Protein backbone atom coordinates (compact mmCIF):
# COMPACT_ATOMS: atom_id res chain seq x y z
CA UNK A 1 0.00 0.00 0.00
CA UNK A 2 1.15 3.54 -0.67
CA UNK A 3 0.04 6.95 0.48
CA UNK A 4 -1.65 9.21 -2.00
CA UNK A 5 -0.06 12.55 -2.89
CA UNK A 6 -2.64 14.34 -0.77
CA UNK A 7 -1.80 12.14 2.23
CA UNK A 8 1.93 12.83 1.85
CA UNK A 9 1.14 16.52 1.59
CA UNK A 10 -0.93 16.34 4.78
CA UNK A 11 2.00 14.76 6.64
CA UNK A 12 4.45 17.31 5.22
CA UNK A 13 2.21 20.18 6.33
CA UNK A 14 1.93 18.67 9.81
CA UNK A 15 5.71 18.60 10.15
CA UNK A 16 5.91 22.20 8.95
CA UNK A 17 3.21 23.23 11.41
CA UNK A 18 5.12 21.52 14.24
CA UNK A 19 8.36 23.28 13.31
CA UNK A 20 6.57 26.65 13.12
CA UNK A 21 4.94 26.16 16.52
CA UNK A 22 8.22 25.15 18.14
CA UNK A 23 10.08 28.07 16.52
CA UNK A 24 7.49 30.51 17.90
CA UNK A 25 7.76 28.88 21.33
CA UNK A 26 11.56 29.08 21.24
CA UNK A 27 11.45 32.78 20.29
CA UNK A 28 9.00 33.48 23.11
CA UNK A 29 11.26 31.71 25.60
CA UNK A 30 14.28 33.73 24.45
CA UNK A 31 12.36 37.01 24.89
CA UNK A 32 11.26 35.87 28.35
CA UNK A 33 14.84 35.08 29.37
CA UNK A 34 16.24 38.33 27.95
CA UNK A 35 13.69 40.35 29.93
CA UNK A 36 14.39 38.47 33.15
CA UNK A 37 18.17 38.14 32.68
CA UNK A 38 19.53 41.29 30.92
CA UNK A 39 23.11 39.97 30.90
CA UNK A 40 22.12 36.79 29.02
CA UNK A 41 21.85 38.29 25.50
CA UNK A 42 25.30 39.98 25.50
CA UNK A 43 26.80 36.73 26.75
CA UNK A 44 25.02 34.78 24.02
CA UNK A 45 26.10 37.24 21.32
CA UNK A 46 29.72 36.93 22.44
CA UNK A 47 29.68 33.37 21.06
CA UNK A 48 29.50 34.70 17.49
CA UNK A 49 32.13 37.34 18.16
CA UNK A 50 34.45 34.76 19.66
CA UNK A 51 33.94 32.32 16.77
CA UNK A 52 34.73 34.99 14.17
CA UNK A 53 37.87 36.08 16.04
CA UNK A 54 39.12 32.50 16.37
CA UNK A 55 38.38 31.79 12.70
CA UNK A 56 40.50 34.79 11.72
CA UNK A 57 43.37 33.49 13.85
CA UNK A 58 43.09 30.07 12.23
CA UNK A 59 43.38 31.66 8.79
CA UNK A 60 46.46 33.47 10.00
CA UNK A 61 48.07 30.14 10.86
CA UNK A 62 47.40 29.84 14.60
CA UNK A 63 47.24 26.04 15.09
CA UNK A 64 45.95 26.33 18.66
CA UNK A 65 42.97 28.51 17.72
CA UNK A 66 40.54 25.62 17.23
CA UNK A 67 41.23 23.86 20.52
CA UNK A 68 41.11 27.20 22.33
CA UNK A 69 37.76 27.95 20.69
CA UNK A 70 36.26 24.69 21.93
CA UNK A 71 37.34 25.42 25.48
CA UNK A 72 36.04 28.99 25.49
CA UNK A 73 32.72 27.98 23.92
CA UNK A 74 32.28 25.31 26.61
CA UNK A 75 32.95 27.92 29.29
CA UNK A 76 30.40 30.31 27.75
CA UNK A 77 27.81 27.52 27.55
CA UNK A 78 28.40 26.74 31.21
CA UNK A 79 28.02 30.41 32.19
CA UNK A 80 24.76 30.68 30.25
CA UNK A 81 23.34 27.60 31.96
CA UNK A 82 24.36 28.99 35.34
CA UNK A 83 22.61 32.29 34.56
CA UNK A 84 19.42 30.47 33.64
CA UNK A 85 19.53 28.35 36.80
CA UNK A 86 20.20 31.38 39.00
CA UNK A 87 17.02 33.04 37.68
CA UNK A 88 14.83 29.96 38.06
CA UNK A 89 14.92 28.65 34.48
CA UNK A 90 15.74 25.04 33.54
CA UNK A 91 19.26 24.72 32.13
CA UNK A 92 17.86 23.43 28.82
CA UNK A 93 15.12 26.08 28.60
CA UNK A 94 16.59 27.60 25.42
CA UNK A 95 17.65 24.36 23.76
CA UNK A 96 16.02 23.63 20.36
CA UNK A 97 12.49 22.24 20.78
CA UNK A 98 11.58 19.10 18.84
CA UNK A 99 8.62 16.78 19.03
CA UNK A 100 10.90 14.09 17.58
CA UNK A 101 14.59 14.74 18.41
CA UNK A 102 15.69 11.90 16.10
CA UNK A 103 14.65 13.70 12.90
CA UNK A 104 14.29 17.20 14.41
CA UNK A 105 10.71 17.28 13.09
CA UNK A 106 11.70 16.86 9.45
CA UNK A 107 10.39 13.30 9.06
CA UNK A 108 13.74 12.01 7.79
CA UNK A 109 17.01 10.83 9.33
CA UNK A 110 20.43 10.56 7.70
CA UNK A 111 22.58 7.48 8.27
CA UNK A 112 26.33 7.49 8.83
CA UNK A 113 26.65 6.63 5.14
CA UNK A 114 24.68 9.74 4.19
CA UNK A 115 21.51 7.88 3.22
CA UNK A 116 18.25 9.69 4.02
CA UNK A 117 15.40 7.48 5.24
CA UNK A 118 11.98 8.00 6.80
CA UNK A 119 12.03 8.51 10.54
CA UNK A 120 10.06 6.19 12.82
CA UNK A 121 7.65 9.07 13.53
CA UNK A 122 6.95 9.44 9.80
CA UNK A 123 6.31 5.69 9.51
CA UNK A 124 3.83 5.85 12.38
CA UNK A 125 1.95 8.66 10.63
CA UNK A 126 1.87 6.54 7.47
CA UNK A 127 0.52 3.61 9.46
CA UNK A 128 -2.12 5.79 11.11
CA UNK A 129 -3.32 7.04 7.72
CA UNK A 130 -3.15 3.73 5.89
CA UNK A 131 -4.81 1.67 8.59
CA UNK A 132 -7.29 4.10 10.08
CA UNK A 133 -9.66 1.17 10.49
CA UNK A 134 -7.52 -0.04 13.37
CA UNK A 135 -8.97 2.76 15.57
CA UNK A 136 -5.77 2.84 17.61
CA UNK A 137 -6.17 6.51 18.52
CA UNK A 138 -9.61 5.83 19.98
CA UNK A 139 -8.18 2.88 21.89
CA UNK A 140 -5.35 4.76 23.58
CA UNK A 141 -7.51 7.77 24.45
CA UNK A 142 -9.88 5.72 26.58
CA UNK A 143 -7.53 2.94 27.74
CA UNK A 144 -4.24 4.05 29.28
CA UNK A 145 -2.37 3.90 32.58
CA UNK A 146 -3.81 7.25 33.73
CA UNK A 147 -7.17 5.52 34.34
CA UNK A 148 -5.75 2.26 35.72
CA UNK A 149 -7.75 0.99 38.70
CA UNK A 150 -7.65 -2.17 40.82
CA UNK A 151 -10.99 -1.57 42.54
CA UNK A 152 -12.97 -4.06 40.43
CA UNK A 153 -10.72 -7.02 41.27
CA UNK A 154 -10.56 -9.20 44.35
CA UNK A 155 -8.59 -12.19 45.58
CA UNK A 156 -6.98 -14.31 42.87
CA UNK A 157 -8.41 -12.07 40.13
CA UNK A 158 -6.64 -9.08 41.70
CA UNK A 159 -3.35 -10.96 41.98
CA UNK A 160 -3.49 -11.94 38.32
CA UNK A 161 -4.29 -8.40 37.19
CA UNK A 162 -1.47 -6.93 39.30
CA UNK A 163 0.92 -9.47 37.77
CA UNK A 164 -0.24 -8.57 34.25
CA UNK A 165 0.22 -4.85 34.96
CA UNK A 166 3.75 -5.50 36.20
CA UNK A 167 4.57 -7.59 33.12
CA UNK A 168 3.14 -4.85 30.88
CA UNK A 169 5.24 -2.14 32.50
CA UNK A 170 8.36 -4.29 32.20
CA UNK A 171 7.52 -4.98 28.54
CA UNK A 172 7.35 -1.21 27.91
CA UNK A 173 10.48 -0.47 29.92
CA UNK A 174 12.61 -3.01 28.04
CA UNK A 175 11.03 -2.51 24.62
CA UNK A 176 13.67 -2.08 21.95
CA UNK A 177 16.32 -3.71 24.10
CA UNK A 178 14.73 -7.14 24.50
CA UNK A 179 12.27 -8.63 22.00
CA UNK A 180 9.34 -10.05 23.94
CA UNK A 181 5.80 -11.10 23.03
CA UNK A 182 2.69 -10.99 25.22
CA UNK A 183 -0.39 -13.21 25.22
CA UNK A 184 -3.31 -11.96 27.32
CA UNK A 185 -6.03 -14.57 27.74
CA UNK A 186 -8.96 -15.25 30.05
CA UNK A 187 -12.58 -14.36 30.61
CA UNK A 188 -14.43 -11.50 28.91
CA UNK A 189 -14.00 -7.93 30.16
CA UNK A 190 -11.13 -8.50 32.57
CA UNK A 191 -8.66 -5.91 31.21
CA UNK A 192 -6.90 -7.60 28.28
CA UNK A 193 -7.73 -4.93 25.71
CA UNK A 194 -7.22 -2.25 28.36
CA UNK A 195 -3.62 -3.33 28.96
CA UNK A 196 -3.05 -3.55 25.20
CA UNK A 197 -4.13 0.08 24.93
CA UNK A 198 -1.87 1.10 27.81
CA UNK A 199 1.13 -0.50 26.11
CA UNK A 200 0.26 0.99 22.72
CA UNK A 201 -0.01 4.51 24.13
CA UNK A 202 3.31 4.36 25.98
CA UNK A 203 5.20 3.03 22.97
CA UNK A 204 3.61 5.49 20.55
CA UNK A 205 4.71 8.32 22.83
CA UNK A 206 8.24 6.94 22.60
CA UNK A 207 8.09 7.10 18.80
CA UNK A 208 7.62 3.38 18.13
CA UNK A 209 5.44 2.22 15.23
CA UNK A 210 2.39 0.34 16.51
CA UNK A 211 -0.20 -1.41 14.36
CA UNK A 212 -3.47 -2.52 15.99
CA UNK A 213 -6.10 -4.85 14.50
CA UNK A 214 -8.98 -6.87 15.79
CA UNK A 215 -8.40 -10.46 14.69
CA UNK A 216 -11.49 -10.35 12.48
CA UNK A 217 -10.37 -7.08 10.88
CA UNK A 218 -6.84 -8.33 10.29
CA UNK A 219 -7.80 -11.55 8.54
CA UNK A 220 -10.57 -9.86 6.55
CA UNK A 221 -8.00 -7.35 5.30
CA UNK A 222 -5.49 -10.07 4.46
CA UNK A 223 -8.14 -12.07 2.61
CA UNK A 224 -9.27 -9.03 0.65
CA UNK A 225 -5.75 -8.23 -0.52
CA UNK A 226 -4.99 -11.89 -1.26
CA UNK A 227 -8.10 -12.84 -3.22
CA UNK A 228 -9.17 -9.59 -4.85
CA UNK A 229 -7.21 -9.41 -8.10
CA UNK A 230 -7.42 -5.61 -8.11
CA UNK A 231 -5.63 -5.39 -4.75
CA UNK A 232 -2.93 -8.02 -5.07
CA UNK A 233 -0.30 -5.39 -5.86
CA UNK A 234 -0.97 -3.90 -2.42
CA UNK A 235 -0.53 -7.20 -0.57
CA UNK A 236 3.27 -7.00 -0.40
CA UNK A 237 3.21 -3.47 1.00
CA UNK A 238 0.57 -4.42 3.55
CA UNK A 239 2.54 -7.46 4.70
CA UNK A 240 5.70 -5.36 4.96
CA UNK A 241 3.92 -3.05 7.39
CA UNK A 242 2.36 -6.01 9.20
CA UNK A 243 5.66 -7.84 9.63
CA UNK A 244 7.89 -4.81 10.10
CA UNK A 245 6.14 -2.47 12.57
CA UNK A 246 7.73 -2.29 16.01
CA UNK A 247 4.65 -3.73 17.74
CA UNK A 248 1.68 -5.57 16.26
CA UNK A 249 -1.40 -5.89 18.46
CA UNK A 250 -3.98 -8.54 17.51
CA UNK A 251 -7.05 -8.11 19.69
CA UNK A 252 -9.79 -10.69 20.30
CA UNK A 253 -8.13 -13.64 18.60
CA UNK A 254 -10.79 -16.31 18.17
CA UNK A 255 -13.60 -13.96 17.12
CA UNK A 256 -12.68 -14.46 13.45
CA UNK A 257 -14.04 -17.29 11.35
CA UNK A 258 -11.17 -19.76 11.57
CA UNK A 259 -10.25 -21.72 8.45
CA UNK A 260 -7.12 -22.95 6.70
CA UNK A 261 -6.41 -19.47 5.27
CA UNK A 262 -6.59 -17.82 8.70
CA UNK A 263 -4.41 -20.51 10.29
CA UNK A 264 -1.81 -20.20 7.57
CA UNK A 265 -1.86 -16.38 7.65
CA UNK A 266 -1.55 -16.28 11.44
CA UNK A 267 1.44 -18.63 11.47
CA UNK A 268 3.15 -16.70 8.65
CA UNK A 269 2.66 -13.46 10.59
CA UNK A 270 3.98 -14.87 13.88
CA UNK A 271 6.91 -16.60 12.21
CA UNK A 272 7.96 -13.64 10.07
CA UNK A 273 7.82 -11.23 13.01
CA UNK A 274 9.83 -13.71 15.08
CA UNK A 275 12.50 -13.87 12.37
CA UNK A 276 12.64 -10.06 12.20
CA UNK A 277 12.86 -9.69 15.97
CA UNK A 278 9.57 -7.76 16.17
CA UNK A 279 7.25 -7.91 19.17
CA UNK A 280 3.65 -9.11 18.98
CA UNK A 281 0.83 -8.76 21.51
CA UNK A 282 -2.23 -11.00 21.28
CA UNK A 283 -5.36 -10.87 23.42
CA UNK A 284 -8.10 -13.49 23.41
CA UNK A 285 -11.06 -14.78 25.40
CA UNK A 286 -10.32 -18.41 24.52
CA UNK A 287 -8.40 -20.77 26.82
CA UNK A 288 -5.06 -22.36 26.04
CA UNK A 289 -6.86 -25.65 25.42
CA UNK A 290 -9.16 -23.95 22.89
CA UNK A 291 -6.15 -22.29 21.29
CA UNK A 292 -4.50 -25.68 20.81
CA UNK A 293 -7.67 -27.28 19.42
CA UNK A 294 -8.66 -24.37 17.17
CA UNK A 295 -5.32 -23.57 15.54
CA UNK A 296 -2.43 -25.67 14.30
CA UNK A 297 0.15 -27.29 16.56
CA UNK A 298 2.75 -24.94 15.06
CA UNK A 299 0.78 -21.88 16.19
CA UNK A 300 0.17 -23.29 19.67
CA UNK A 301 3.85 -24.14 20.00
CA UNK A 302 4.95 -20.70 18.78
CA UNK A 303 2.66 -18.91 21.26
CA UNK A 304 3.16 -21.18 24.27
CA UNK A 305 6.96 -21.14 23.93
CA UNK A 306 7.60 -17.66 22.50
CA UNK A 307 5.09 -15.48 24.39
CA UNK A 308 4.74 -14.42 28.01
CA UNK A 309 1.34 -15.81 29.00
CA UNK A 310 -0.87 -13.64 31.22
CA UNK A 311 -4.19 -15.06 32.41
CA UNK A 312 -6.86 -12.60 33.56
CA UNK A 313 -10.03 -13.63 35.34
CA UNK A 314 -12.94 -12.03 37.14
CA UNK A 315 -16.28 -10.35 36.40
CA UNK A 316 -16.87 -8.43 33.17
CA UNK A 317 -15.70 -4.98 34.28
CA UNK A 318 -17.58 -3.19 31.51
CA UNK A 319 -20.87 -4.66 32.68
CA UNK A 320 -19.94 -4.04 36.33
CA UNK A 321 -19.17 -0.36 35.62
CA UNK A 322 -22.48 0.03 33.80
CA UNK A 323 -24.40 -1.48 36.70
CA UNK A 324 -22.63 0.74 39.21
CA UNK A 325 -23.26 3.87 37.14
CA UNK A 326 -26.98 3.02 36.96
CA UNK A 327 -27.28 2.15 40.63
CA UNK A 328 -29.44 4.59 42.67
CA UNK A 329 -27.53 6.94 44.99
CA UNK A 330 -27.71 6.08 48.71
Amino acid sequence: MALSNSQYEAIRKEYQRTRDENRILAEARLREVCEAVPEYLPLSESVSTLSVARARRMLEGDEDALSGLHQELAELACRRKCLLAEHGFPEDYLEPIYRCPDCQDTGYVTSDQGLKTKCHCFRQQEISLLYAQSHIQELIERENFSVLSYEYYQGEDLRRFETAVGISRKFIREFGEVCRNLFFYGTVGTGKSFLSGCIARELLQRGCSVLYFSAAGLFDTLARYTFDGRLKDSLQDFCEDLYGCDLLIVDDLGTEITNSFVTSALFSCLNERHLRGRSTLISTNISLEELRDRYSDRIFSRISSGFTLCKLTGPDIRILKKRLSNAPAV
Side-chain angles (χ1 to χ4, degrees), residues 54-306:
R54 288 288 183 173
R56 185 178 296 113
R57 288 175 55 185
M58 288 175 63
L59 292 173
E60 293 171 352
D62 185 346
E63 296 180 357
D64 297 325
L66 183 59
S67 59
L69 174 63
H70 289 161
Q71 181 178 347
E72 290 185 69
L73 288 178
E75 291 173 357
L76 285 172
C78 183
R79 287 168 60 190
R80 284 187 294 175
K81 287 183 178 180
C82 289
L83 272 177
L84 290 174
E86 288 170 4
H87 289 80
F89 293 99
E91 289 186 352
D92 62 350
Y93 194 61
L94 296 180
E95 293 295 321
I97 303 167
Y98 302 116
R99 182 176 296 175
C100 177
D102 293 336
C103 69
Q104 298 184 354
D105 297 335
T106 64
Y108 292 87
V109 292
T110 304
S111 68
D112 294 337
Q113 294 74 35
L115 297 175
K116 185 175 285 190
T117 57
K118 292 175 184 174
C119 183
H120 54 76
C121 63
F122 192 106
R123 288 292 299 124
Q124 185 57 49
Q125 290 198 63
E126 283 188 308
I127 285 175
S128 298
L129 284 173
L130 289 172
Y131 308 116
Q133 72 270 26
S134 70
H135 303 300
I136 193 168
Q137 293 302 324
E138 297 175 16
L139 175 74
I140 63 177
E141 283 176 10
R142 68 174 184 269
E143 296 176 347
N144 54 76
F145 282 126
S146 67
V147 293
L148 175 67
S149 173
Y150 297 96
E151 65 177 304
Y152 301 102
Y153 300 88
Q154 294 180 352
E156 181 68 10
D157 301 334
L158 175 59
R159 187 189 66 77
R160 284 176 169 163
F161 185 67
E162 288 174 333
T163 299
V165 171
I167 289 172
S168 299
R169 291 190 183 277
K170 182 179 180 181
F171 179 85
I172 294 165
R173 189 167 58 250
E174 297 179 347
F175 195 85
E177 300 174 2
V178 182
C179 180
R180 287 197 173 92
N181 305 297
L182 296 181
F183 187 79
F184 293 135
Y185 72 105
T187 49
V188 176
T190 49
K192 299 181 294 296
S193 295
F194 172 80
L195 289 177
S196 299
C198 291
I199 291 170
R201 180 185 176 88
E202 295 295 318
L203 295 183
L204 283 169
Q205 290 180 338
R206 280 169 45 177
C208 302
S209 57
V210 180
L211 189 53
Y212 169 92
F213 277 104
S214 68
L218 172 60
F219 296 118
D220 283 349
T221 302
L222 276 169
R224 188 166 68 253
Y225 286 138
T226 302
F227 300 117
D228 188 331
R230 297 166 298 178
L231 299 175
K232 279 192 175 181
D233 291 341
S234 300
L235 178 61
Q236 183 175 352
D237 291 333
F238 176 75
C239 287
E240 184 58 34
D241 291 332
L242 190 67
Y243 301 154
C245 63
D246 295 326
L247 176 65
L248 171 66
I249 299 176
V250 181
D251 196 24
D252 277 339
L253 184 69
T255 56
E256 78 286 350
I257 298 174
T258 309
N259 51 38
S260 58
F261 170 79
V262 166
T263 301
S264 174
L266 177 57
F267 179 77
S268 295
C269 182
L270 296 179
N271 190 58
E272 185 63 31
R273 290 187 62 79
H274 169 72
L275 293 175
R276 296 191 186 198
R278 300 296 187 179
S279 295
T280 305
L281 191 163
I282 298 175
S283 70
T284 182
N285 295 328
I286 64 178
S287 65
L288 294 179
E289 291 75 17
E290 291 174 289
L291 177 72
R292 182 187 55 215
D293 296 340
R294 184 164 185 165
Y295 301 94
S296 67
D297 290 338
R298 293 189 304 170
I299 290 175
F300 180 76
S301 175
R302 174 71 71 194
I303 291 176
S304 60
S305 63

Side-chain angles (χ1 to χ4, degrees), residues 31-42:
R31 288 194 300 270
E32 181 186 2
V33 168
C34 289
E35 290 175 5
V37 192
E39 60 269 42
Y40 184 87
L41 186 57

